[in-house]
Amino acid sequence: MSRAEEFEELRALLFAIAYRILGSVSEAEDAVQETWLRYEASPTRPTSTKAFLSAVVTRVAINVLRSARLRREEYVGQWLPEPLLADPYEDPERSAELADSVSMAALLLLERLSPLERAVFVLREVFGFGFGEIASTVGRSEAACRQLAVRARRHMDAGRPRFEADRREREELAERFFDAFREGDLDGLRELLAADVQMISDGGGKAPQLPRAIIGADNVARVLAAAAAPMVRIGGVLEPHEVNGQPGAIFRDRDNKAVNTLALDILDGQIQAIRLVINPAKLQHLGSVADAWAVARRFHQARRPTE
């Protein structure tokens, strides 16, 4: 088997590792490409291609994350991960860990860890790597890696989101939510939202966004119900789609261009959080991206059709 063939067999795993460390589709894809270039340039073939490539992509991702952290601290408004519509890597034995670790809520928790803690947690808890492999990858002793893993696990467990266990129930609730939203059904929306639900948007200063989080079932329901009719008038379409392993949707304009994504956190039969990614730089991998400012102008005009 050629190097290129070996690499392609492992590409999905490499992307999955990099995305969880970085929370960015574009940066993860760049890390995978850099890993290929280093593998192609390596004068010798490794004993274990999987171990070698996993180590390289992890080191590349750690370096990228260290430089990205400062940019995220200076980010305009709330920073959210780039939405992932489908995880390319599958492992039936670790399906629960894979699904939980890619959620928006989990990725936001991972943001609070140091780059080394984050990498160790991802390799150990999500992908089941041994501490020997992890130690070699991050350049620390096995004992140090065990300590990093304990600290990371403690932090993640303290804030770890719990999602609706029954996937069908979760999807049915999401369907009811989207139906109520399209109909502008205030009461229907309100009953599906947790009392302390939060709606957060990420425009990064490059698109219109909520000035702050909207909190509370009544407030969130009113904002959503008021948006339904104008959305229809401007030709907007809400396209249900899994986002980061959770129920969600893509909002498209009249030209079928992506305006934003929406991801739902569902627990105990209610929606706990709604996260909107509107920053066009984070939507490029979804295809054509709309001019969110132009969509917003049409939307506000549609709210006052008689004026």
Side-chain angles (χ1 to χ4, degrees), residues 1-276:
M1 185 181 294
S2 69
R3 287 196 183 200
E5 290 170 333
E6 287 183 320
F7 185 84
E8 286 305 316
E9 281 195 351
L10 292 165
R11 179 184 288 274
L13 170 63
L14 302 179
F15 175 86
I17 291 172
Y19 179 75
R20 286 163 175 80
I21 294 175
L22 293 166
S24 165
V25 172
S26 56
E27 289 174 346
E29 289 175 342
D30 288 346
V32 171
Q33 180 61 23
E34 176 63 23
T35 299
W36 161 247
L37 294 176
R38 295 188 186 188
Y39 182 44
E40 185 182 34
S42 176
T44 59
R45 297 286 284 267
T47 303
S48 169
T49 304
K50 177 182 175 182
F52 175 83
L53 294 177
S54 298
V56 172
V57 81
T58 298
R59 292 177 195 137
V60 171
I62 289 173
N63 289 335
V64 172
L65 182 60
R66 284 173 173 153
S67 62
R69 287 171 75 88
L70 179 59
R71 295 196 302 273
R72 292 178 188 179
E73 289 173 2
E74 298 173 345
Y75 195 79
V76 177
Q78 170 73 49
W79 182 89
L80 293 175
E82 285 188 14
L84 182 67
L85 299 190
D87 188 351
Y89 180 70
E90 297 180 0
D91 181 350
E93 295 184 0
R94 307 194 68 82
S95 59
E97 292 92 338
L98 289 169
D100 286 349
S101 64
V102 83
S103 71
M104 287 271 182
L107 290 171
L108 288 171
L109 276 178
L110 283 169
E111 280 292 304
R112 302 178 188 176
L113 304 181
S114 72
L116 276 181
E117 287 173 338
R118 184 165 181 166
V120 169
F121 181 87
V122 167
L123 292 176
R124 179 63 181 173
E125 300 296 325
V126 181
F127 295 98
F129 281 75
F131 280 111
E133 292 176 285
I134 296 172
S136 175
T137 295
V138 302
R140 297 290 190 276
S141 68
E142 287 191 40
C145 288
R146 290 180 186 277
Q147 291 180 338
L148 287 167
V150 168
R151 287 203 301 268
R153 191 182 307 116
R154 185 184 302 125
H155 183 88
M156 293 296 289
D157 286 345
R160 183 182 292 278
R162 296 179 299 112
F163 299 111
E164 201 70 55
D166 190 306
R167 186 181 184 89
R168 181 177 297 178
E169 289 182 12
R170 187 182 65 185
E171 291 173 349
E172 288 176 354
L173 189 147
E175 185 176 349
R176 289 166 55 202
F177 169 80
F178 290 128
D179 285 344
F181 172 62
R182 291 188 187 94
E183 295 167 7
D185 181 356
L186 179 61
D187 291 335
L189 286 166
R190 190 187 289 118
E191 76 173 47
L192 297 173
L193 302 172
D196 58 350
V197 63
Q198 294 190 29
M199 186 162 70
I200 302 165
S201 69
D202 171 356
K206 299 178 180 180
Q209 64 190 66
L210 302 172
R212 61 184 67 83
I214 298 175
I215 301 173
D218 190 62
N219 293 330
V220 172
R222 288 182 183 281
V223 169
L224 291 172
M231 185 185 79
V232 172
R233 293 189 191 109
I234 66 172
V237 175
L238 196 67
E239 178 184 294
H241 202 295
E242 186 173 275
V243 177
N244 286 78
Q246 306 301 318
I250 304 172
F251 174 44
R252 298 189 182 277
D253 72 358
R254 61 192 180 191
D255 299 316
N256 202 38
K257 294 181 178 181
V259 178
N260 66 270
T261 61
L262 177 155
L264 305 176
D265 286 355
I266 297 174
L267 175 65
D268 297 331
Q270 291 184 309
I271 295 167
Q272 308 290 325
I274 302 171
R275 296 185 175 91
L276 311 172

